[in-house]
C-alpha cells in the first residue's frame, strides 16, 4: 500500500501531476451561505435590501437563511475535512464587523461578529484546512449605500479601516487576504445594468464605482499590510478571455473595448499605476474621469502578492452596427440597461453553439489556459491563484446521491486547462472550486446550484455530490486523470 505522500509524488501513468505544494480548496461567500442576517448585531447589507425588493431575485429568494452556515459551520468544516480539502476561501460580512458604519466613521467594532470569523478560522486550522479570507464579496453595509455606495470616495476609505480591523484580528492565523471579489460585478452589475445590488442603472456611477473599488483595493492592501505584515495580499478579478468570431476591423475593436472595460481597467491601475487611455476615450461621453484625484493611482498601485483569477466561461463579441436586434448573450443577466458602459451601442454578444451550463454559460476550458498565460505574459513573476471556477447544473438527489456527471467533466477539463498553463510556465499556486455548497446565487436565488455538496433548503441536509468525491481524489493524488473525452 502506498502512503498519501507517495501517491502525491508518484502519479500513475494515466495521471497528470500538479506541482508539489499546489493548494486545493473550495470557495464560498458570506451572503450566499451564512443566513443569520439579524444575529449577533449584524445590520443589513445592500443584498438584504435588494433581495427583499420584489422582482429583483428569482422567486423572491433571499439570503435570510441560505445554508444556515452561521450555525452549521462546524458540520461544514467536518465535511471539508472528510473530503481532504486543504484550503477554504470564505468572505467576511462587513455588516457583522462594523454594523454602525457611516460615510464619516467606521463606528465601533462588533466583537460578536469578529468572534464568529475568529472561531471559524480556529476550527479550520484545527481541521488542517488553510483559511483564505475575502474581505469584500459584495455585502456592502446598506448605510454606506445610502450615502452613495461605491460612487462615494468615503466608501473606499471606510473599507480600508474595516480591512485593517479584520486583518488585525485574524492576521495571526490567516496567511491570505483578498481585498475584493470581482469589482467588475460590483461596479457594472450594481450600478449600470442593475441586476446586482444596489440595482442602480447609471453608467457614470458605474465608472465612478470602478475607480473607488480600485482605490478601496489599494487602500485596503496597505491597511492589511499594516495590521498583518506577514500576510499575502491578493485581489480577485473576473477577467475575461475575449475573442470575436467576426472578421471586420470593427470586430477587433469590439474585443479591445470589452477587454478594456473588463480586464485592463482593473489590471492596469493595480499592476501598472495607470488607467488605459483607450478606455477613458471610449467612455469620454459618459464621464470626464474627474473622480480620479491626484495621487490616487499611486495609492492603487500597491505591491500585489498574488492575483486571484475567476474563470467560468468565454466571452465572444462582435461589432454591432445598429441593424437588427442586438445579441446580448454576455452571461450577465437580462436588463434593459447594458453593463458595457460607453460601448452599449457598438458591441454585441452572439449566442455560441455548443455545450452550456445551467446558467446558459458556454463551456470552453481553453479560456482558462489562455487567460492564465496572458496574465503571465503581461505581468511575468506575478503569482496566480484560481480563486473560482465551477459550474451550475440541475442536480437531482436520488437515494442519497447526486450523479453530477456534467459538473465532474467540467471540473476535469478546467483543471487540465489550469495544468496546461502551469506546464507552459504560469505560476499558478492553487485552485478554489466554486462552490463548496449549493447557495444563494445572487439574482438567480436558489435556482442555480454550483455546489459540489447539495443543500436541501427545506431541511438543510447536505449531500455530497459525485463531483465532490471526484475532486477529493484529485486533491489526495495532486493530479488529474490524463484521459480526455
Ligand atoms: C462569481 C461570484 C460568485 C458566484 C459565481 C457563480 O461571479 O464571485 O459569488 O456567484 O460567480
Amino acid at each position: 500500500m502506498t502512503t498519501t505522500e507517495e501517491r502525491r509524488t508518484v502519479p500513475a501513468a494515466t495521471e497528470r501531476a500538479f506541482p508539489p505544494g499546489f493548494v486545493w480548496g473550495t470557495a464560498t461567500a458570506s451572503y450566499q451561505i451564512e443566513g443569520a442576517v439579524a444575529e449577533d448585531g449584524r445590520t443589513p447589507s445592500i443584498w438584504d435590501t435588494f433581495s427583499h425588493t420584489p422582482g429583483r431575485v428569482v422567486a423572491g429568494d433571499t439570503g435570510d437563511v441560505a445554508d444556515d452556515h452561521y450555525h452549521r459551520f462546524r458540520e461544514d468544516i467536518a465535511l471539508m475535512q472528510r473530503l481532504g480539502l486543504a484550503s477554504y476561501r470564505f468572505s467576511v460580512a462587513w455588516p457583522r464587523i462594523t454594523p454602525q458604519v457611516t460615510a464619516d466613521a467606521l463606528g465601533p467594532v462588533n466583537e460578536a461578529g469578529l468572534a464568529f470569523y475568529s472561531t471559524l478560522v480556529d476550527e479550520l486550522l484545527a481541521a488542517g484546512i488553510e483559511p483564505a479570507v475575502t474581505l469584500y464579496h459584495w455585502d456592502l453595509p446598506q448605510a454606506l449605500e445610502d450615502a452613495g455606495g461605491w460612487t462615494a470616495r468615503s466608501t473606499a476609505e471606510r473599507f480600508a479601516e474595516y480591512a485593517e480591523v479584520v486583518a488585525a484580528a485574524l492576521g495571526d492565523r490567516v496567511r491570505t487576504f483578498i481585498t475584493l471579489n470581482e469589482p467588475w460585478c460590483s461596479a457594472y452589475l450594481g450600478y449600470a445594468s442593475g441586476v446586482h445590488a444596489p440595482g442602480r442603472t447609471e453608467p457614470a456611477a458605474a465608472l465612478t464605482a470602478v475607480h473607488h473599488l480600485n482605490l478601496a483595493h489599494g487602500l485596503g492592501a496597505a491597511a492589511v499590510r499594516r495590521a498583518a505584515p506577514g500576510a499575502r495580499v491578493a485581489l480577485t478579478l473576473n477577467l475575461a478571455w475575449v475573442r470575436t468570431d467576426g472578421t471586420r476591423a470593427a470586430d477587433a475593436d469590439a474585443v479591445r473595448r470589452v477587454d478594456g472595460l473588463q480586464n485592463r481597467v482593473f489590471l492596469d491601475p493595480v499592476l501598472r499605476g495607470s488607467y488605459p487611455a483607450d478606455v477613458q476615450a471610449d467612455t469620454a461621453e459618459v464621464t470626464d474621469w474627474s473622480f480620479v484625484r491626484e495621487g490616487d493611482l499611486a495609492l492603487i498601485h500597491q505591491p500585489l502578492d498574488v492575483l486571484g483569477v475567476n474563470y467560468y466561461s468565454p466571452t465572444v463579441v462582435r461589432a454591432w452596427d445598429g441593424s437588427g436586434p442586438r445579441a446580448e448573450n454576455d452571461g450577465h443577466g437580462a436588463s434593459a440597461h447594458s453593463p458595457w458602459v460607453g460601448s452599449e451601442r457598438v458591441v454585441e454578444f452572439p449566442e455560441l453553439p455548443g455545450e452550456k451550463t445551467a446558467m446558459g454559460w458556454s463551456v470552453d476550458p481553453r479560456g482558462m489556459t489562455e487567460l492564465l498565460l496572458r496574465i503571465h505574459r503581461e505581468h511575468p513573476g506575478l503569482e496566480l491563484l484560481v480563486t473560482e471556477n465551477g459550474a451550475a447544473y440541475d442536480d437531482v438527489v436520488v437515494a442519497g446521491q447526486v450523479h453530477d456527471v456534467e459538473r465532474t467533466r467540467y471540473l476535469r477539463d478546467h483543471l487540465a486547462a489550469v495544468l496546461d498553463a502551469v506546464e507552459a510556465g504560469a505560476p499558478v499556486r492553487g485552485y478554489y472550486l466554486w462552490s463548496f455548497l449549493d447557495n444563494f446565487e445572487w439574482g438567480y436565488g436558489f435556482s442555480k446550484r454550483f455546489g459540489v455538496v447539495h443543500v436541501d433548503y427545506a431541511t438543510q441536509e447536505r449531500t455530497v455530490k459525485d463531483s465532490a468525491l471526484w475532486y477529493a481524489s484529485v486533491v489526495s493524488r495532486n493530479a488529474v486523470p490524463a484521459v480526455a473525452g
Side-chain angles (χ1 to χ4, degrees):
M1 208 178 104
T2 53
T3 64
T4 311
E5 269 318 300
E6 278 163 337
R7 269 193 271 118
R8 273 175 207 269
T9 49
V10 188
T14 53
E15 293 182 344
R16 295 175 65 198
F18 278 73
F22 193 83
V23 175
W24 295 101
T26 59
T28 64
S30 45
Y31 190 72
Q32 297 183 272
I33 63 164
E34 286 179 357
V37 289
E39 274 179 57
D40 293 336
R42 182 186 181 277
T43 50
S45 75
I46 54 175
W47 270 97
D48 296 86
T49 310
F50 189 79
S51 64
H52 280 270
T53 306
R56 292 301 206 174
V57 175
V58 169
D61 290 341
T62 74
D64 287 2
V65 179
D67 293 337
D68 195 30
H69 173 78
Y70 193 78
H71 300 117
R72 294 168 193 263
F73 67 94
R74 287 192 173 82
E75 179 194 327
D76 291 336
I77 291 172
L79 196 47
M80 284 179 214
Q81 189 179 21
R82 248 176 47 215
L83 293 169
L85 302 176
S87 185
Y88 175 50
R89 172 183 177 231
F90 63 91
S91 80
V92 173
W94 185 352
R96 292 195 193 281
I97 306 302
T98 62
Q100 311 307 328
V101 63
T102 65
D104 302 323
L106 192 62
V109 173
N110 175 29
E111 293 303 333
L114 217 42
F116 170 72
Y117 296 105
S118 187
T119 307
L120 181 67
V121 164
D122 285 342
E123 299 275 330
L124 285 166
L125 292 173
I129 300 168
E130 186 193 332
V133 171
T134 307
L135 291 162
Y136 184 73
H137 200 129
W138 307 351
D139 36 8
L140 186 73
Q142 180 62 40
L144 290 181
E145 177 55 31
D146 295 343
W150 286 111
T151 68
R153 193 179 173 88
S154 51
T155 298
E157 294 162 353
R158 297 296 83 74
F159 171 77
E161 294 164 7
Y162 148 76
E164 191 158 353
V165 167
V166 177
L170 306 182
D172 56 336
R173 289 156 291 157
V174 172
R175 193 167 75 98
T176 306
F177 286 95
I178 299 164
T179 54
L180 307 177
N181 177 71
E182 301 189 353
W184 185 92
C185 293
S186 300
Y188 300 108
L189 302 184
Y191 293 85
S193 72
V195 300
H196 277 190
R200 289 165 62 177
T201 51
E202 303 153 43
L207 293 175
T208 317
V210 164
H211 178 61
H212 290 147
L213 283 152
N214 282 330
L215 186 61
H217 162 73
L219 296 173
V224 168
R225 287 205 171 92
R226 272 198 302 279
R232 280 200 309 182
V233 176
L235 166 68
T236 280
L237 299 175
N238 53 325
L239 299 172
W241 174 46
V242 193
R243 306 172 287 137
T244 183
D245 59 354
T247 52
R248 300 161 296 176
D251 295 320
D253 198 54
V255 171
R256 178 195 63 72
R257 282 171 171 269
V258 169
D259 178 54
L261 286 171
Q262 178 124 17
N263 300 327
R264 290 180 288 112
V265 83
F266 300 103
L267 289 172
D268 283 14
V270 170
L271 296 170
R272 302 188 197 281
S274 59
Y275 274 112
D278 62 323
V279 174
Q280 292 187 302
D282 292 342
T283 56
E285 282 180 16
V286 181
T287 173
D288 61 6
W289 289 73
S290 55
F291 44 73
V292 182
R293 293 196 195 157
E294 189 158 355
D296 280 3
L297 282 157
L299 294 172
I300 295 169
H301 186 205
Q302 298 291 319
L304 192 70
D305 297 315
V306 57
L307 179 70
V309 177
N310 293 355
Y311 174 81
Y312 290 91
S313 121
T315 303
V316 174
V317 300
R318 263 182 220 160
W320 185 63
D321 59 10
S323 63
R326 187 173 50 236
E328 288 169 350
N329 300 286
D330 64 6
H332 294 297
S335 169
H337 304 267
S338 168
W340 303 101
V341 177
S343 291
E344 299 92 337
R345 282 177 293 280
V346 283
V347 166
E348 68 171 346
F349 296 81
E351 172 154 12
L352 300 180
E355 198 186 332
K356 295 196 180 62
T357 70
M359 295 294 284
W361 294 349
S362 289
V363 177
D364 194 343
R366 273 181 311 154
M368 176 71 93
T369 314
E370 296 292 335
L371 206 49
L372 294 167
L373 287 177
R374 174 206 173 162
I375 302 161
H376 177 51
R377 238 183 354 260
E378 294 182 4
H379 303 281
L382 177 62
E383 293 201 3
L384 305 172
L385 270 181
V386 175
T387 38
E388 286 181 29
N389 171 243
Y393 289 104
D394 296 326
D395 303 314
V396 279
V397 183
V398 179
Q401 298 185 322
V402 180
H403 301 306
D404 56 341
V405 183
E406 290 164 303
R407 181 175 293 103
T408 304
R409 198 170 60 229
Y410 178 100
L411 294 171
R412 182 198 66 192
D413 293 347
H414 284 76
L415 284 174
V418 172
L419 192 49
D420 288 345
V422 170
E423 288 174 352
V428 186
R429 302 298 185 227
Y431 174 94
Y432 291 84
L433 192 166
W434 185 275
S435 181
F436 179 56
L437 300 170
D438 289 339
N439 59 48
F440 176 82
E441 178 47 36
W442 309 115
Y444 297 89
F446 298 108
S447 69
K448 303 296 177 201
R449 294 180 175 274
F450 273 92
V452 289
V453 173
H454 181 278
V455 176
D456 179 330
Y457 295 109
T459 62
Q460 291 297 338
E461 191 183 349
R462 274 69 164 144
T463 303
V464 172
K465 301 181 192 177
D466 288 357
S467 58
L469 300 173
W470 178 85
Y471 188 55
S473 80
V474 168
V475 175
S476 76
R477 306 180 75 80
N478 198 36
V480 279
V483 276

